[in-house]
Amino acid sequence: MAVSIEWDEFARNSGPAHDGTPICSEPWKTAYLLDRGIMPCCYGREAMIPWQDIDESQLESSLHAAFNSQPMVELRRDLSQGRLGKYCDRAQGCPIVKQMAKRPATQTSPPSRNRRRA
């Protein structure tokens, strides 16, 4: 069985982006199916969708529903707006999380290209 989600579909679940490019593309391009459940990236420690929430008799439709679940939609929306989601905050091994942690505390998202100078 193959389940594929096209990268072009990411805009469907994202709000207005900071510059149109998510800070991470994993939740649009991949899903990791592990014993503990479905995870949006390889750096996550906990399943976003646990197996007990998946109907294994209808696996393909369940995977599609999991991909479009509220937690996944919210994660993609945050990333498309230049923010790390709550799930990402717990993935301390992620190089993007590490890079964002090095930014000054007042800078929570990438700088806007459209800011006016005083």
Side-chain angles (χ1 to χ4, degrees), residues 73-92:
V73 169
E74 289 174 5
L75 176 60
R76 290 191 295 269
R77 183 175 299 126
D78 285 339
L79 292 170
S80 73
Q81 294 174 350
R83 300 187 303 259
L84 294 174
K86 292 176 187 176
Y87 186 86
C88 298
D89 288 338
R90 295 186 299 270
Q92 296 300 310

Side-chain angles (χ1 to χ4, degrees), residues 38-49:
I38 298 173
M39 302 170 66
C41 79
C42 64
Y43 292 101
R45 294 184 157 222
E46 60 194 58
M48 182 158 286
I49 313 294

Side-chain angles (χ1 to χ4, degrees), residues 43 84 88 91-103:
Y43 292 101
L84 294 174
C88 298
Q92 296 300 310
C94 172
I96 296 171
V97 171
K98 289 178 181 179
Q99 181 183 12
M100 298 286 281
K102 291 179 184 177
R103 293 177 176 206

